[in-house]
Amino acid sequence: MTIAGFDSRQLALFRTVVEAGSLTAAARRVHVSQPAVTAAIQKLEGALGVTLLERSARGVTPTDAGRKLLGHARAIDALMSEAVADVTERHEPLGPLVIGASTTIAAGLLPTLIARFRELEGDVGVRLVVGNTGEILDQVRSRELPLGLVEGPSRAPRIRLERFGDDTLLPVVAASRERRIALESTPVLWREVGSGTRAVVEKALRRRGRRPLPMDLELGSTAAIRRAVALGLGLGFLSRWSIGDALDAGRVRVAPLPDLAIERRFSWASASGELTGTAARFRAFAQRERPSLGH
Amino acid sequence: MTIAGFDSRQLALFRTVVEAGSLTAAARRVHVSQPAVTAAIQKLEGALGVTLLERSARGVTPTDAGRKLLGHARAIDALMSEAVADVTERHEPLGPLVIGASTTIAAGLLPTLIARFRELEGDVGVRLVVGNTGEILDQVRSRELPLGLVEGPSRAPRIRLERFGDDTLLPVVAASRERRIALESTPVLWREVGSGTRAVVEKALRRRGRRPLPMDLELGSTAAIRRAVALGLGLGFLSRWSIGDALDAGRVRVAPLPDLAIERRFSWASASGELTGTAARFRAFAQRERPSLGH
DNA sequence: GATATGCCATAATCAATTCTTATGACCATC
DNA sequence: GATGGTCATAAGAATTGATTATGGCATATC
């Protein structure tokens, strides 16, 4: 399939570029680097044999050919969405959604996602099994769960893993706190021992030389941490996926400690082979919805 | 751009699968392996959360969702071609096409390609510079030529190389020859020393232990070799791209020496950066046309 | 019914594309 | 001129996507 070098994703990107007015802005919008956009557009131009954009120091503007292509790109975009909508349309009522998730995800990400899914699909029943990553993986392996959404692992035996997206654990403090945060003397709000989130946070802090202090607090859930942060009790770590509301409300803000942003991955887990019915539908839905979730 | 997992190439492949009636047949048609098709369709099904094909031992048939998607796939295909045609449409008359090519390509592939290009674009002037690969690359580097199409190299300094496609040098004999070919005692029809084609053929034959014989013939062009093969003078090597007519005419056939099929690559060469005008247009055209050229 | 044939699925491996980071050149604006 | 924005290039890493090899399963054939 190396033949064409011309597909709808390139067109969608081209559209974004024109609408954003610059390669850089488009790159930001789709969360890739600017050179990636440069390369993709060049490839598209090469495939068509036509210059599509007039480059300048202030951005890009479409050439005549580019303007023509823009129209087609929009039409194709529309047709693609229509195809998804049409094919995805359900005829028989869906069975309940059975899904396992690790704590952070179950608390932060899934509620939104499930709510939107039910908006679209009607009142599907939901059984959400919460556990740590290992527990969920085991239950997927033994077919107790058709589908899991977990933090971290990049591979697990006898299981099919697919990437959901990347997450960032951001250091946050109360919005009222002074600008400079002294890492050594600010209380840290921990999750309980055994939590996957705690493990990665511990590791990252140790790398920075931060040792546990008596003034640190240990809390049993992400929600508790969020509340504690808002109350000014210290520095907490919150997932980018679950942080939105708190930021919007203006109660908390991201601490100016850029080295402390912790990257990790969320992955789908399913038993090898066939994923069907409600679970398949939910996974596909979530995957499409993802770009609109995190900021 | 890892977000969607859903693009027009997947749809085009899906369409091919349904129209071919089986994954295997579709794989043959698009020249990829069957597992590649399996994987691509699975990915598409995953992205939509829907089963598209009913698998059986006799092939595949679309499900309801699959039939719906097929319609959309056709529509999108059509729209994509329309977009290409529209954007590619020319307003000002094109300048002459200036292109360099190595001997085999200039003789075997380019005439067809240029003819079709002119059918589409009108009577564009053509200046075709023939030379061996190194000579062409030098002239591209020095900007004497905007574009070259050459055999072989996978990289060259200060030059942008892009893949045109893969070529196979097939061992051919007269159709009238007996089935079994004794490599040791059959005369080989060589190109002259210095030819890129000769170099790779020599290497391949040496690996098989075949030494030059007094009965071998040396000829100055691909056309001469093709004629000599048809006349039964011995074993020749012809490019898959240029062999079509001779095979069709029934004068020659591929010799049953599968280990002797020699793979090599054809590449576009252009100066770093901007390729515009007629050359850009020709390259894009050729790239789209390619699937219909070789067998 | 045994056996063979053809189709699809999986696993392991390798090659190719695509992305990222780092950097440079260029143009506007202060 | 500096500064801050833009786009382009290069080199490396990561992801994707291909390939070959193999196995299961259903239909067809003897």
Side-chain angles (χ1 to χ4, degrees):
Chain A
M1 205 98 10
T2 9
I3 48 172
F6 178 60
D7 65 52
S8 58
R9 290 184 331 171
Q10 288 177 293
L11 288 185
L13 177 61
F14 173 71
R15 182 186 166 183
T16 308
V17 167
V18 174
E19 290 175 354
S22 84
L23 303 189
T24 307
R28 270 194 296 269
R29 197 179 289 186
V30 301
H31 302 294
V32 295
S33 66
Q34 168 263 312
V37 177
T38 294
I41 297 295
Q42 283 179 343
K43 197 174 164 201
L44 180 59
E45 290 181 322
L48 292 169
V50 164
T51 302
L52 296 170
L53 297 173
E54 214 69 67
R55 277 87 163 163
S56 88
R58 216 164 43 269
V60 295
T61 51
T63 62
D64 286 353
R67 262 188 298 276
K68 273 199 227 165
L69 187 62
L70 180 62
H72 293 289
R74 291 196 172 118
I76 288 168
D77 250 26
L79 224 53
M80 297 275 293
S81 325
E82 200 181 305
V84 173
D86 189 12
V87 168
T88 290
E89 196 170 65
R90 158 184 52 88
H91 291 104
E92 295 143 38
L94 284 178
L97 170 64
V98 178
I99 184 172
S102 44
T103 323
T104 313
I105 294 173
L109 185 58
L110 277 185
T112 315
L113 223 33
I114 289 176
R116 294 197 196 173
F117 184 63
R118 288 174 42 126
E119 266 172 36
L120 197 73
E121 298 283 359
D123 288 333
V124 241
V126 174
R127 190 164 78 85
L128 171 58
V129 175
V130 181
N132 68 40
T133 297
E135 291 163 356
I136 298 298
L137 291 183
D138 284 343
Q139 291 181 55
V140 167
R141 203 174 348 248
S142 66
R143 314 260 172 171
E144 289 167 65
L145 290 171
L147 181 65
L149 185 55
V150 297
E151 305 153 40
S154 54
R155 58 179 156 179
R158 305 311 268 148
I159 274 189
R160 175 170 303 229
L161 284 179
E162 269 142 325
R163 173 177 192 163
F164 172 72
D166 293 326
D167 180 39
T168 310
L169 281 172
L170 294 167
V172 293
V173 292
S176 51
R177 281 223 167 217
E178 69 276 15
R179 278 238 141 255
R180 294 217 7 97
I181 304 292
L183 192 55
E184 313 313 323
S185 55
T186 307
V188 167
L189 307 170
W190 300 100
R191 283 281 301 282
E192 78 284 4
V193 174
S195 147
T197 301
R198 170 159 183 161
V200 295
V201 169
E202 255 180 353
K203 200 170 142 205
L205 282 179
R206 207 173 311 122
R207 254 206 308 276
R208 298 260 309 207
R210 170 59 157 80
R211 309 259 153 220
L213 297 178
M215 49 171 51
D216 288 351
L217 275 87
E218 186 172 303
L219 300 170
S221 75
T222 305
I225 289 188
R226 182 160 47 231
R227 245 172 293 131
V229 167
L231 292 172
L233 294 181
L235 174 72
F237 287 84
L238 293 179
S239 162
R240 184 162 64 86
W241 297 111
S242 61
I243 207 178
D245 293 347
L247 281 183
D248 289 347
R251 315 281 303 270
V252 311
R253 62 180 171 81
V254 175
L257 301 164
D259 303 3
L260 269 181
I262 300 165
E263 293 293 331
R264 62 176 174 179
R265 174 170 301 177
F266 288 172
S267 303
W268 297 107
S270 59
S272 210
E274 66 308 334
L275 182 65
T276 55
T278 312
R281 184 170 293 255
F282 178 73
R283 183 176 66 179
F285 166 81
Q287 206 62 38
R288 286 195 297 273
E289 198 74 0
R290 188 171 64 82
S292 72
L293 286 176
H295 158 229
Chain B
M1 205 95 13
T2 10
I3 47 170
F6 177 61
D7 65 55
S8 59
R9 292 184 330 172
Q10 289 176 294
L11 288 185
L13 178 61
F14 173 70
R15 183 186 165 182
T16 309
V17 166
V18 174
E19 290 174 355
S22 84
L23 303 189
T24 307
R28 270 194 296 268
R29 198 179 288 185
V30 301
H31 302 294
V32 295
S33 66
Q34 169 262 312
V37 177
T38 294
I41 297 295
Q42 283 179 343
K43 198 173 162 201
L44 180 59
E45 290 181 322
L48 292 169
V50 164
T51 303
L52 296 170
L53 297 173
E54 214 68 67
R55 279 86 162 164
S56 88
R58 214 165 44 269
V60 295
T61 51
T63 61
D64 286 353
R67 262 188 297 277
K68 273 199 228 167
L69 186 63
L70 179 62
H72 293 289
R74 290 196 173 118
I76 288 169
D77 251 27
L79 224 53
M80 296 277 292
S81 326
E82 201 181 304
V84 172
D86 189 13
V87 168
T88 290
E89 197 171 64
R90 157 185 51 88
H91 291 106
E92 294 141 40
L94 283 178
L97 170 64
V98 179
I99 184 172
S102 44
T103 323
T104 311
I105 293 173
L109 185 58
L110 276 185
T112 315
L113 223 34
I114 290 176
R116 293 197 196 173
F117 184 62
R118 288 174 40 126
E119 265 173 37
L120 197 72
E121 299 283 359
D123 289 333
V124 229
V126 174
R127 190 164 76 84
L128 171 58
V129 176
V130 181
N132 67 39
T133 298
E135 291 163 356
I136 299 298
L137 291 183
D138 283 343
Q139 292 182 55
V140 168
R141 202 174 346 248
S142 67
R143 313 259 172 172
E144 289 168 67
L145 289 171
L147 182 64
L149 185 54
V150 298
E151 305 153 40
S154 53
R155 57 179 156 180
R158 304 313 263 147
I159 273 189
R160 175 171 302 229
L161 284 178
E162 271 141 324
R163 172 178 192 162
F164 173 72
D166 293 325
D167 180 38
T168 310
L169 283 172
L170 294 167
V172 292
V173 292
S176 51
R177 282 222 167 217
E178 68 275 15
R179 278 238 140 254
R180 294 221 2 102
I181 305 291
L183 192 54
E184 313 311 322
S185 55
T186 307
V188 167
L189 307 170
W190 299 100
R191 281 283 300 281
E192 79 284 2
V193 174
S195 146
T197 302
R198 171 160 182 160
V200 294
V201 170
E202 253 179 354
K203 200 171 141 206
L205 283 179
R206 206 173 313 122
R207 253 206 308 274
R208 297 260 309 206
R210 170 58 158 80
R211 308 257 154 224
L213 298 178
M215 46 168 54
D216 288 352
L217 276 86
E218 187 172 301
L219 300 169
S221 74
T222 306
I225 289 187
R226 184 159 47 230
R227 246 173 292 128
V229 167
L231 292 171
L233 293 181
L235 175 72
F237 287 85
L238 293 179
S239 161
R240 186 162 64 87
W241 297 111
S242 62
I243 206 179
D245 294 347
L247 280 183
D248 289 347
R251 315 280 304 269
V252 312
R253 62 180 171 82
V254 176
L257 302 164
D259 303 2
L260 269 181
I262 300 164
E263 293 293 332
R264 62 176 174 179
R265 173 171 302 178
F266 287 172
S267 302
W268 298 106
S270 58
S272 209
E274 66 308 337
L275 181 65
T276 55
T278 313
R281 186 170 292 256
F282 178 73
R283 183 177 66 179
F285 167 82
Q287 207 62 38
R288 285 195 298 274
E289 198 74 0
R290 189 171 64 82
S292 71
L293 286 176
H295 159 229

